[in-house]
Amino acid sequence: MNRALLFITCTAAVLNTVFALTADDISECPSIDWHRSPKSVHDLKADDIEVIAAMGDRYDEDAPSLANYFQEYQPDLYGPSFGKRPARLCPGTFFCLGSQHDLSIDVLNAAQSGATSNELTEQVDYLTEQIGLDTEYATSWKLINLFIGFNDASISCLPNRTVAQYKANVKNSLIRLFEKVDNAFVNLVGIMEYNDLIYTTDQAPGYKKHFENNTIDLLDYECFCCRHPNGGVKFIGDIVKEYNIALSQIAEELSASYSKDGISPYLRKSQRDVTVVYQPMNPVISTVPPQSLR
């Protein structure tokens, strides 16, 4: 995962070169030569990013890791979270469903363990309070990572948890975001087909740590529908595929809606320098070691 991210960052850094390279550390990537300020969100380079933020369904450890790469090129980058906070546990649902933010720790990492796409609006509101149109970061170039759907898929066998509703939740949340934020590149991350990973840790004796008295099976909460009569592992896999199709459609639809042109001002259309790009997550499942799932 880290080498892949480094490959992407290093490739972006090699501005006018026809080759790419890999590196074991971001410091080994080439520097970025001086260049003019970006003309639009489609003209960004690594050192143009001044703000990084995250939304989604878990307190994502990859968000600060990605921030470390961008800080190599933009030392004054604002937004990375500091340290980690454990997942909150609540009676009844095990994972707490309500949102809780601590600006001093989370900064612009709005992602919440246990969240579904239903809660994205709250995360949007948290971020826009910090980097919206009426803040000091209004004109700063922003990279916003959105990873949502893991928990949605896990309860997708329940009533009213349709793919159409998931798509509507994500799309409407991004529309709400773009009403309040400008100069933003949204990285819409696809969902890994984790149905093939569910029992991977069974192959590593001693990997799983049990709760006191061994009375709780975490899988019952992390993937409720994996064992539900109306669900199952194959069902989850099919849902994830449909979610990824929906995410790809969202990126295409919103990018077209917010693309700048010469006609919009005359039609009095509100313009934003924003875009959404869908990034699929397609690891070769058979190569994923159990230790990487910690």
Side-chain angles (χ1 to χ4, degrees):
M1 183 66 170
N2 285 346
R3 288 182 65 87
L5 288 171
L6 283 169
F7 176 84
I8 294 170
T9 309
C10 286
T11 304
V14 184
L15 300 179
N16 297 312
T17 310
V18 295
F19 63 89
L21 52 86
T22 60
D24 292 316
D25 188 85
I26 188 65
S27 62
E28 298 175 10
C29 291
S31 60
I32 297 178
D33 293 334
W34 180 91
H35 57 90
R36 58 172 172 74
S37 299
K39 293 182 178 180
S40 75
V41 72
H42 302 288
D43 191 33
L44 294 173
K45 297 178 176 62
D47 61 344
D48 294 320
I49 301 298
E50 302 165 283
V51 174
I52 190 167
M55 299 189 296
D57 57 16
R58 42 186 54 196
Y59 196 73
D60 196 348
E61 293 180 10
D62 281 338
S65 298
L66 186 59
N68 290 338
Y69 301 142
F70 279 94
Q71 283 176 321
E72 179 72 16
Y73 299 102
Q74 179 55 268
D76 297 325
L77 185 72
Y78 174 66
S81 53
F82 297 97
K84 300 177 182 179
R85 287 197 291 123
R88 295 181 299 124
L89 305 181
C90 293
T93 59
F94 193 74
F95 292 113
C96 296
L97 302 182
S99 297
Q100 184 181 80
H101 303 286
D102 184 339
L103 184 61
S104 66
I105 298 176
D106 304 338
V107 194
L108 299 183
N109 189 345
Q112 298 283 304
S113 295
T116 68
S117 60
N118 287 351
E119 289 76 53
L120 272 182
T121 297
E122 186 281 331
Q123 296 184 27
V124 167
D125 291 345
Y126 170 77
L127 287 184
T128 55
E129 287 178 3
Q130 320 304 327
I131 57 174
L133 298 175
D134 57 350
T135 71
E136 62 180 299
Y137 300 102
T139 60
S140 300
W141 289 109
K142 308 165 187 69
L143 172 64
I144 302 175
N145 292 290
L146 173 55
F147 178 76
I148 190 74
F150 182 95
N151 293 324
D152 290 82
S154 297
I155 56 174
S156 56
C157 62
L158 298 178
N160 302 318
R161 292 287 181 173
T162 65
V163 175
Q165 186 60 55
Y166 167 78
K167 179 180 178 180
N169 288 342
V170 176
K171 184 174 182 178
N172 290 336
S173 296
L174 287 176
I175 291 173
R176 184 182 182 89
L177 176 72
F178 292 155
E179 289 174 348
K180 302 180 178 182
V181 165
D182 202 359
N183 291 20
F185 182 109
V186 173
N187 185 38
L188 188 58
V189 184
I191 308 165
M192 182 172 59
E193 294 183 20
Y194 68 92
N195 51 293
D196 292 329
L197 289 174
I198 290 171
Y199 298 110
T200 297
T201 55
D202 292 338
Q203 304 169 17
Y207 170 84
K208 291 184 177 180
K209 306 301 180 184
H210 297 283
F211 287 87
E212 187 177 359
N213 300 324
N214 200 24
T215 57
I216 296 177
D217 188 338
L218 197 57
L219 186 61
D220 290 337
Y221 297 92
E222 285 192 325
C223 189
F224 177 82
C225 290
C226 286
R227 294 172 176 169
H228 194 278
N230 295 331
V233 174
K234 183 181 182 303
F235 173 86
I236 294 295
D238 292 340
I239 287 292
V240 168
K241 288 183 175 69
E242 292 186 60
Y243 279 6
N244 283 330
I245 292 173
L247 293 174
S248 178
Q249 292 171 342
I250 290 169
E252 183 176 351
E253 292 163 7
L254 290 185
S255 291
S257 297
Y258 288 94
S259 61
K260 285 196 171 183
D261 54 55
I263 300 176
S264 294
Y266 298 100
L267 298 179
R268 296 183 179 179
K269 289 174 60 178
S270 176
Q271 287 190 303
R272 294 279 187 269
D273 209 346
V274 297
T275 195
V276 184
V277 175
Y278 170 65
Q279 300 285 356
M281 187 185 296
N282 299 315
V284 179
I285 300 300
S286 61
T287 66
V288 179
Q291 291 75 18
S292 68
L293 304 178
R294 289 187 183 276

